[in-house]
C-alpha cells in the first residue's frame, strides 16, 4: 500500500504544470535569458546548448529572447572547425538565439573573426556582456 501511495504521488509530481510568474511569457513580453559557456569540453558545450534548446521548447521561440555568451575555454563553441557543434549553434540561430564571442578571449587565444561561425557577434569582454544583460533584467543561467 505504501508503495502504491509513493508511486501515485510521484506520478502526480511528474504531471505538475509549471506556474508562470507574472507577467506570463508572451510575444510582447518574452522571457529574456542569457547563458554563458566558459568551458571548452564537448560535455560542457553540449550541456549549455541542450539547456538553451530545452528553454526554447518549453516557452516557444517566440516567447524567449536568448543570448549565449562564450568566453574563456567556451569560445570553442563558436568556432567553425567543429562541424557538430557549429551545426547545433546554427540551428539555434534559426530560432533567433544570439551568440556572442568575447573579444578579449579571441585576442588572448589568437582567434580571428573569420574563424567564427557566421553571424556571431563580438564584444570587447564577454563577462561585461553578462553583467549588462543581468543589470537589464535578463535571467542568467549557468548550466
Amino acid at each position: 500500500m505504501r508503495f502504491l501511495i509513493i508511486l501515485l504521488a510521484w506520478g502526480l509530481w511528474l504531471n505538475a504544470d509549471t506556474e508562470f510568474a507574472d507577467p506570463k511569457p508572451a510575444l510582447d513580453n518574452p522571457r529574456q535569458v542569457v547563458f554563458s559557456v566558459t568551458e571548452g569540453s564537448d560535455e560542457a558545450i553540449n550541456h549549455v546548448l541542450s539547456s538553451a534548446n530545452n528553454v526554447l521548447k518549453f516557452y516557444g521561440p517566440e516567447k524567449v529572447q536568448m543570448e549565449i555568451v562564450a568566453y574563456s575555454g567556451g569560445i570553442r563553441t563558436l568556432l567553425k572547425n567543429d562541424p557538430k557543434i557549429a551545426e547545433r549553434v546554427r540551428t539555434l540561430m534559426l530560432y533567433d538565439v544570439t551568440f556572442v564571442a568575447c573579444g578579449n578571449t579571441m585576442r588572448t587565444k589568437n582567434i580571428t573573426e573569420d574563424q567564427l561561425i557566421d553571424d556571431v557577434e563580438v564584444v570587447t569582454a564577454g563577462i561585461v556582456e553578462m553583467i549588462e544583460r543581468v543589470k537589464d533584467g535578463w535571467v542568467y543561467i549557468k548550466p
Side-chain angles (χ1 to χ4, degrees), residues 27-84:
L27 290 173
D28 60 345
N29 187 47
R31 293 295 188 245
Q32 295 175 306
V33 181
V34 61
F35 287 85
S36 67
V37 56
T38 60
E39 298 175 41
S41 71
D42 284 356
E43 182 179 1
I45 292 169
N46 284 313
H47 186 65
V48 171
L49 298 177
S50 293
S51 296
N53 188 54
N54 289 340
V55 170
L56 286 171
K57 280 198 280 188
F58 181 84
Y59 288 110
E62 68 283 354
K63 294 180 184 173
V64 177
Q65 187 177 0
M66 186 179 294
E67 186 171 292
I68 299 176
V69 181
Y71 54 98
S72 188
I75 197 75
R76 179 175 164 250
T77 308
L78 305 179
L79 299 177
K80 292 177 184 175
N81 64 357
D82 188 325
K84 287 182 181 179

Side-chain angles (χ1 to χ4, degrees), residues 53-130:
N53 188 54
N54 289 340
V55 170
L56 286 171
K57 280 198 280 188
F58 181 84
Y59 288 110
E62 68 283 354
K63 294 180 184 173
V64 177
Q65 187 177 0
M66 186 179 294
E67 186 171 292
I68 299 176
V69 181
Y71 54 98
S72 188
I75 197 75
R76 179 175 164 250
T77 308
L78 305 179
L79 299 177
K80 292 177 184 175
N81 64 357
D82 188 325
K84 287 182 181 179
I85 292 173
E87 183 60 32
R88 292 192 74 192
V89 168
R90 286 187 198 98
T91 299
L92 287 168
M93 285 178 162
L94 292 174
Y95 293 98
D96 294 325
V97 175
T98 301
F99 284 84
V100 178
C102 174
N104 289 336
T105 299
M106 290 173 63
R107 262 188 311 287
T108 301
K109 295 182 176 281
N110 295 315
I111 297 170
T112 60
E113 285 194 44
D114 63 312
Q115 293 175 283
L116 298 176
I117 297 166
D118 294 340
D119 299 320
V120 167
E121 295 179 21
V122 178
V123 296
T124 302
I127 193 70
V128 173
E129 180 75 6
M130 298 295 301

